[in-house]
Amino acid sequence: MDKKFIVLCYIFLIFIFGCQKAEISTDKDVGIAEGNIKSETAEKMAAMNVITYDSNEVAVVIDELAFLPAFIHIKKGTAVTWINRDKVEHTVAFHNKKTPTEVTESDVLKPRNEYSYTFNEEGVFDYICGIHPFMHGGIIVGNPPELAEMMEFAEDTEPPKIFSITPNKVSVNGGDKVIVKGENFVKSTTVFFHHLFGEVKFADSKTLEAVTPKHYALKMDVIVTNPDGDHFTLPNSFEFFGEEEQQIETIEFEYEEKRTPHFTGSSPEHGSTANSPSTISISFNYPIVKGSNILLYDLGGNKLTEGGLIVTRLGLEISNVPKLNQGTYKVTYHAIWLGGSAHDGEFYFNVK
Ligand SMILES: [Cu+2]
């Protein structure tokens, strides 16, 4: 896998977890019982909207160029299924912090496609979309040692509980007001109805108010989580119902109309003469997907080496090009655009 990709993952990991690690200092020895990771992790998990699941199967929805929920905490052995509800294609590419060179990436997920992976190892996994690397998410599996380091101590609260949700059936169009009644709610209690509601308001320790987002028809668990990680799941207790608008095909088409996909440049440039290059690359104005390739040939038609996608999906690159003797070389490429159509091309360069 591409080195740049690994670096990006690390940057992301530092972004979500590294900055928190820095805040753990004097608090570390104060009141953190070994094995009581829940209370340690909690505040940060709540701040990051990490959703803790008790179930063995968890769905992460991909929509509007985002993973929802982005940060989840699951048990070892839980199967996570990513469902592409968006109008464009995405992938899921992740690695374990402990084994950063092992990257797992899904195939390209077209709208409505799914990808499942079962996490049988404890650890911290971060992931991105290989097509849109700014999309990122994180998964904490079990209680790995990193968890204790990355989280701050949170004040212990009584475990929350849900007694009722009114109404518990709402329209797929969103905008309904929902009252959650229960106990031991605090100001930062989060309420999760499959997608986290953006507008959950704390009324009092027994009442939370939320406004529903747009959501496709689905019956779901409702989970409340307090800052110390204590949470409560009311299984299959909430439902979005009705017809959703059919919009996938048209918008996918618009996306394609905005820009005509084309080649924007190469290194070395076509027809140029220079020393043997260490990398050979071509760039595009439009995302390309897995299956695209770039090959280097000598003029005798012998294939010398090949490369693949760069992390932004806006180019192809051959890294670690062997030392080339004086002569003329040919590069061919096959670019498959996001959306499915493909383009083949070639260019030449000279080595002096
Ligand atoms: Cu994507």
Side-chain angles (χ1 to χ4, degrees):
M1 196 62 190
D2 199 306
K3 268 186 205 138
K4 278 187 208 154
F5 178 72
I6 306 299
V7 170
L8 190 87
C9 288
Y10 265 109
I11 291 168
F12 162 56
L13 205 72
I14 289 161
F15 172 72
I16 54 167
F17 296 133
C19 49
Q20 279 130 28
K21 195 172 174 178
E23 289 166 24
I24 306 167
S25 52
T26 52
D27 281 354
K28 205 173 181 186
D29 299 318
V30 186
I32 302 175
E34 280 288 328
N36 189 14
I37 285 168
K38 249 189 180 179
S39 51
E40 270 178 73
T41 60
E43 193 167 47
K44 283 302 170 184
M45 291 184 59
M48 284 163 29
N49 285 335
V50 173
I51 311 300
T52 302
Y53 287 91
D54 297 318
S55 124
N56 295 320
E57 290 177 6
V58 170
V60 173
V61 170
I62 309 173
D63 203 1
E64 307 269 325
L65 297 171
F67 297 108
L68 301 164
F71 301 104
I72 64 175
H73 185 194
I74 57 175
K75 295 183 298 186
K76 207 167 105 174
T78 297
V80 178
T81 300
W82 284 267
I83 305 164
N84 185 7
R85 300 288 310 187
D86 212 342
K87 298 122 200 154
V88 296
E89 296 176 336
H90 299 285
T91 73
V92 176
F94 59 90
H95 71 95
N96 189 336
K97 195 185 169 191
K98 278 187 214 152
T99 53
T101 53
E102 289 169 33
V103 177
T104 304
E105 184 166 16
S106 69
D107 287 334
V108 172
L109 302 176
K110 292 184 185 300
R112 310 281 169 144
N113 282 7
E114 296 181 8
Y115 169 67
S116 291
Y117 186 87
T118 301
F119 290 86
N120 287 319
E121 231 189 299
E122 290 206 328
V124 179
F125 298 80
D126 58 280
Y127 65 92
I128 61 171
C129 167
I131 300 169
H132 313 102
F134 56 88
M135 292 171 58
H136 56 233
I139 298 177
I140 301 161
V141 182
N143 288 318
E146 300 97 309
L147 200 55
E149 292 167 25
M150 56 175 83
M151 303 299 180
E152 220 182 336
F153 184 72
E155 202 185 326
D156 204 18
T157 58
E158 292 297 312
K161 218 169 183 181
I162 302 171
F163 299 136
S164 70
I165 301 167
T166 318
N168 62 357
K169 271 185 135 192
V170 296
S171 156
V172 289
N173 298 320
D176 289 311
K177 195 174 165 187
V178 173
I179 306 291
V180 180
K181 287 280 186 188
E183 64 182 12
N184 300 327
F185 299 148
V186 295
K187 276 192 178 142
S188 44
T189 300
T190 59
V191 186
F192 187 68
F193 301 76
H194 197 235
H195 284 192
L196 189 70
F197 282 179
E199 298 171 54
V200 174
K201 274 188 209 139
F202 170 83
D204 57 56
S205 65
K206 295 175 177 352
T207 315
L208 297 169
E209 297 171 7
V211 177
T212 59
K214 263 185 159 186
H215 197 289
Y216 56 95
L218 187 77
K219 203 163 182 183
M220 62 191 68
D221 297 350
V222 176
I223 305 167
V224 288
T225 308
N226 272 4
D228 63 356
D230 285 337
H231 60 279
F232 181 87
T233 304
L234 202 58
N236 272 320
S237 50
F238 196 74
E239 189 175 356
F240 283 86
F241 73 98
E243 287 284 313
E244 62 184 305
E245 310 134 46
Q246 295 298 318
Q247 53 185 357
I248 283 176
E249 288 75 6
T250 51
I251 293 180
E252 200 178 12
F253 194 69
E254 277 172 27
Y255 187 65
E256 204 142 350
E257 276 180 346
K258 277 182 203 156
R259 282 187 288 178
T260 309
H262 62 82
F263 169 99
T264 57
S266 72
S267 172
E269 280 179 29
H270 175 63
S272 65
T273 301
N275 293 326
S276 178
S278 56
T279 61
I280 295 169
S281 63
I282 50 180
S283 52
F284 305 100
N285 70 334
Y286 195 80
I288 51 176
V289 300
K290 268 166 98 174
S292 303
N293 61 38
I294 176 169
L295 307 165
L296 175 68
Y297 292 91
D298 64 21
L299 279 192
N302 303 302
K303 190 178 106 182
L304 303 178
T305 181
E306 62 189 287
L309 286 179
I310 65 169
V311 71
T312 61
R313 300 295 170 127
L314 291 170
L316 291 164
E317 183 180 83
I318 303 173
S319 45
N320 305 315
V321 177
K323 177 96 176 80
L324 302 175
N325 297 326
Q326 190 184 353
T328 300
Y329 295 85
K330 177 169 101 166
V331 179
T332 69
Y333 62 88
H334 178 65
I336 305 170
W337 312 115
L338 180 63
S341 59
H343 172 72
D344 290 289
E346 61 184 47
F347 65 90
Y348 294 82
F349 65 92
N350 306 302
V351 173
K352 61 183 177 191

